[in-house]
Amino acid sequence: MNDHIIALDQGTTSSRAIVFNSKGTPVTIAQYPFPQIYPKPGWVEHDPKVILDTQLRSLAAAFEKSGLSPTDIAGIGITNQRETTIVWDKNTGEPVYNAIVWQCRRTASICDELIAEGLGDYVTEKTGLLIDAYFSGTKIKWILDNVPGVRERAERGELLFGTVDCWIIWNLTGGAAHVSDYSNCSRTMIFDIDKLQWDEKLCERLGIPMSMLPTPVPSSMVYGHIAKGLPGLEMLEGTPVCGSAGDQPAALFGQGCIHPGQAKNTYGTGCFTLMNTGSKSVRSTSGLVTSVAWSVNGELTYALEGSVFNAGSSIQWLRDELKIIDSASEVEALATSVPDNGGVYLVSAFTGLGAPRWDMYARGAIVGLTRGSTRAHIGRAALEGIAYQVKDLLDAMDNDVDSGLSVLRVDGGASVNNFLMQFQSDVLQKPIDRPVMVETTAFGAAFLAGLAVGVWKDVSEIVTLRVSDKVFTPQMSAEEAAVLHGTWLRAAERACKWEVKDIQE
């Protein structure tokens, strides 16, 4: 039976592969973490070859553990950390520099120059984004300007650019397909999201040769097939590579948010709140961005999005740097060991603040400390800080579209934390719906791939496959929630504009 899909879920801290059956149930999973590289404060990099190696090994391991035959696999879907930027030699496949990760702040001064030139309105009009170091365009420019000989090679047509989806597809297909789906293209800050093509003016301003850029493609179609000679993947040779979407739109899709006004939040390394706006590419007036969510069977769906740069990573920070917990799962018990936060607020602006503030120079802060503050208060404040930032995003969405959101669907690693989900419901004063199967990002990619090869017939089938695990409803009064959030806003203000020097120095 040709009715299984393997989803490759290439994230910020690990590469995973999940085999799904036609009921949308995970059959097997394999996962390999990889190291983060921090060359300077505010800089974040990955080794592209390690990304690829861990992703291919997870694919091979998940398939082997499944006990399935190659004929059982209908296709491969891909979802990925977005904005992370890779430039490589199109003949040898060798990267010219490490991948510059979406969290990296090194191009903040380039963004400042673009803003000073008055390009902000043009960027928003064409790309749906705001000018920020988060996005790929200025990262490409930095590589071209700072790695010796690279600009000359790019201008000779020897180099290719891609976000992580593009890098993986290019390698899986043996270099046959240099493509990127619309959802990933729309996070580069050089892509016209209405015309679905690269913007020549922005590429020229950033000095990016357009010969480097991948072909923009829909999210559900056959891009190519697994090539010969990939280590451990000999049995899967010829399998279609047929679905792709960035991690957050894939999660929106996997959550069954297929109608305008439906929204989800993913609690991962960062938090990402997306709302389906249908065929309309809404331009935000509240600090959000607009991206292509997916394109299936010729129909384009857009989303409003807000991003929290550090969510789960703030819990990792408690574990790895502060060492007040031994594992991330311990933070819930720590937080509930005290009745409240003791007046402590943690603003996890380790790499700046995303929407709706878009402050590249904000830095992390803990405020409200007293002599009686404990590690439990700090742990609780870290979780509460995640929920407050998500509320800020949804408040901005209400300003933009007056959606009247009735329920927020949630997923991602931290969504299993019952304290966080209950507190999120309390501060939002809305129900929180957590599904049984929280692997919604990978499932979204799998479903897009399955649509391309006939495992599923149409988009509406995805709704029937989603089952709720638990719905959290508000247990706190609206008045108390408003007071707590008001204090949070004061704390967040303290963290803004903290870093004043050029972080490229």
Side-chain angles (χ1 to χ4, degrees):
M1 292 290 292
N2 195 247
D3 63 353
H4 288 73
I5 296 289
I6 303 179
L8 306 185
D9 184 357
Q10 204 301 300
T12 306
T13 59
S14 71
S15 298
R16 305 190 303 161
I18 304 178
V19 180
F20 289 93
N21 63 23
S22 59
K23 296 180 180 179
T25 303
V27 176
T28 57
I29 181 171
Q31 180 171 359
Y32 294 98
F34 56 85
Q36 309 296 295
I37 303 168
Y38 304 106
K40 295 182 181 181
W43 293 30
V44 190
E45 297 178 358
H46 294 156
D47 184 333
K49 297 172 80 170
V50 172
I51 288 177
L52 181 63
D53 175 67
T54 53
Q55 190 64 84
L56 296 185
R57 282 196 290 135
S58 68
L59 170 56
F63 173 68
E64 182 179 356
K65 286 197 296 183
S66 73
L68 298 169
S69 70
T71 55
D72 292 320
I73 307 302
I76 306 289
I78 296 166
T79 186
N80 57 286
Q81 54 168 315
R82 301 170 299 166
E83 299 92 22
T84 295
T85 297
I86 305 171
V87 175
W88 68 95
D89 188 296
K90 72 177 184 182
N91 296 311
T92 67
E94 283 293 315
V96 303
Y97 188 75
N98 277 340
I100 300 182
V101 179
W102 57 274
Q103 298 164 311
C104 189
R105 302 280 91 192
R106 77 183 65 187
T107 63
S109 62
I110 300 174
C111 294
D112 289 339
E113 292 172 9
L114 299 177
I115 293 168
E117 290 174 20
L119 278 173
D121 288 345
Y122 183 85
V123 167
T124 298
E125 176 191 349
K126 295 296 182 179
T127 74
L129 307 178
L130 300 169
I131 296 175
D132 192 83
Y134 181 22
F135 305 111
S136 310
T138 57
K139 301 180 195 300
I140 305 171
K141 175 177 172 56
W142 190 94
I143 292 174
L144 294 175
D145 288 346
N146 290 276
V147 182
V150 163
R151 176 167 294 284
E152 292 76 13
R153 292 168 65 188
E155 290 173 351
R156 291 196 299 266
E158 299 172 4
L159 302 182
L160 301 177
F161 152 75
T163 43
V164 172
D165 61 309
C166 179
W167 169 244
I168 292 173
I169 293 171
W170 190 87
N171 279 282
L172 281 176
T173 61
H178 182 222
V179 300
S180 185
D181 95 290
Y182 299 144
S183 75
N184 277 291
C185 291
S186 67
R187 305 295 292 187
T188 60
M189 214 177 79
I190 54 173
F191 185 73
D192 188 317
I193 60 171
D194 295 311
K195 295 181 180 178
L196 301 180
Q197 64 188 32
W198 301 109
D199 186 88
E200 291 188 23
K201 177 178 176 178
L202 290 173
C203 288
E204 181 179 356
R205 170 59 186 83
L206 292 171
I208 300 171
M210 297 188 74
S211 60
M212 298 177 66
L213 305 178
T215 300
V217 291
S219 311
S220 180
M221 64 174 287
V222 176
Y223 310 123
H225 299 80
I226 292 183
K228 293 181 180 180
L230 294 178
L233 300 181
E234 291 81 5
M235 292 185 68
L236 290 174
E237 179 188 323
T239 302
V241 181
C242 50
S244 179
D247 50 8
Q248 302 317 315
L252 186 70
F253 194 65
Q255 282 275 28
C257 295
I258 61 172
H259 300 297
Q262 292 182 310
K264 70 89 196 174
N265 184 67
T266 296
Y267 299 82
T269 301
C271 268
F272 302 90
T273 307
L274 274 73
M275 179 177 287
N276 184 325
T277 63
S279 59
K280 181 184 294 186
S281 58
V282 176
R283 296 302 189 272
S284 174
T285 60
S286 306
L288 303 177
V289 298
T290 302
S291 304
V292 176
W294 55 76
S295 172
V296 177
N297 295 329
E299 294 188 9
L300 202 63
T301 297
Y302 292 93
L304 265 179
E305 177 172 350
S307 305
V308 175
F309 292 158
N310 289 277
S313 56
S314 65
I315 308 306
Q316 294 170 339
W317 177 72
L318 298 180
R319 180 194 66 197
D320 299 338
E321 274 70 46
L322 292 195
K323 301 190 185 301
I324 65 174
I325 52 175
D326 293 323
S327 66
S329 60
E330 293 178 19
V331 73
E332 182 173 2
L334 184 66
T336 55
S337 70
V338 289
D340 53 46
N341 65 11
V344 176
Y345 288 78
L346 191 157
V347 185
S348 56
F350 304 125
T351 53
L353 286 170
R357 296 171 180 85
W358 293 106
D359 185 346
M360 295 181 287
Y361 300 103
R363 289 295 180 266
I366 304 176
V367 300
L369 292 171
T370 67
R371 185 62 183 83
S373 300
T374 69
R375 68 189 189 99
H377 293 118
I378 294 173
R380 185 175 180 121
L383 290 175
E384 292 182 353
I386 295 170
Y388 289 130
Q389 290 181 83
V390 173
K391 174 174 171 52
D392 292 345
L393 298 180
L394 284 165
D395 285 351
M397 286 184 179
D398 280 343
N399 289 335
D400 282 335
V401 296
D402 191 23
S403 66
L405 180 70
S406 58
V407 60
L408 179 67
R409 296 182 176 184
V410 298
D411 55 61
S415 69
V416 302
N417 187 308
N418 289 327
F419 169 81
L420 175 57
M421 294 301 97
Q422 182 58 58
F423 192 77
Q424 187 72 82
S425 177
D426 289 340
V427 297
L428 286 177
Q429 292 290 293
K430 294 182 184 297
I432 301 296
D433 183 346
R434 182 175 66 195
V436 170
M437 201 275 291
V438 296
E439 300 290 356
T440 54
T441 300
F443 179 56
F447 202 92
L448 289 167
L451 285 173
V453 291
V455 173
W456 295 286
K457 293 180 181 179
D458 56 51
V459 167
S460 63
E461 281 192 60
I462 200 168
V463 179
T464 66
L465 298 175
R466 185 192 185 277
V467 179
S468 292
D469 166 48
K470 185 172 182 178
V471 176
F472 298 82
T473 57
Q475 303 298 310
M476 180 186 293
S477 71
E479 292 75 17
E480 184 180 357
V483 169
L484 290 173
H485 183 245
T487 309
W488 155 260
L489 293 175
R490 290 173 53 215
E493 187 63 30
R494 299 295 192 275
C496 289
K497 304 297 180 188
W498 184 264
E499 183 70 38
V500 293
K501 68 177 182 178
D502 185 348
I503 62 173
Q504 293 193 85
E505 292 177 359

